[in-house]
């Protein structure tokens, strides 16, 4: 009986990080050049290495895989930031805190470097 309870607890703790993926959408109030956004993110050393793929960037920060996709429609532009920390064994609370930190940092860098 004790072995079954332990197995269930291990199974539950092993699945706890499955939901550790989150997305943020940000629209700009003023037009921002894609090259500025790419250069600003690429120059921030803790994000290194940054991989540029067409209109998106990929990097790792706080062990989480991060993808930043650019978009523009008419005069409105922005980005979609997806942070993936699945299967790293982090608690959901820790992951959410790291994701919020990453999102705020990206937004700060873009505001400082491109506005």
């Amino acid at each position: 009986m004790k072995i079954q309870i332990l197995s269930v607890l291990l199974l539950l703790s092993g699945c706890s990080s499955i939901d550790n993926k989150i997305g943020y959408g940000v629209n700009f109030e003023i037009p921002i050049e894609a090259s500025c956004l790419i250069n600003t993110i690429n120059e921030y050393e803790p994000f290194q290495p940054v991989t540029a793929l067409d209109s998106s960037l990929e990097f790792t920060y706080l062990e989480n895989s991060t993808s930043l996709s650019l978009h523009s429609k008419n005069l409105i532009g922005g980005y979609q930031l997806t942070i993936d920390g699945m299967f790293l064994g982090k608690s959901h609370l820790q992951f959410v805190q790291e994701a919020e930190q990453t999102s705020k940092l990206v937004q700060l860098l873009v505001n400082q470097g491109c506005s």
Side-chain angles (χ1 to χ4, degrees), residues 26-89:
V26 175
N27 288 321
F28 306 127
E29 294 178 9
I30 58 172
I32 293 178
E33 296 288 326
S35 60
C36 180
L37 182 65
I38 291 169
N39 290 338
T40 298
I41 297 301
N42 199 25
E43 290 174 0
Y44 188 65
E45 193 171 317
F47 289 168
Q48 297 295 326
V50 176
T51 304
L53 307 167
D54 292 328
S55 62
S56 68
L57 301 170
E58 295 180 356
F59 56 90
T60 301
Y61 184 65
L62 301 175
E63 298 178 330
N64 300 310
S65 299
T66 306
S67 172
L68 188 148
S69 301
L70 307 173
H71 67 81
S72 63
K73 293 180 182 176
N74 300 327
L75 296 176
I76 299 174
Y79 61 84
Q80 175 70 32
L81 186 67
T82 304
I83 303 168
D84 186 348
M86 293 174 57
F87 310 112
L88 292 176

Side-chain angles (χ1 to χ4, degrees), residues 3-13:
I3 293 174
Q4 291 174 340
I5 293 171
L6 180 61
S7 298
V8 171
L9 292 175
L10 288 175
L11 180 62
L12 290 175
S13 66

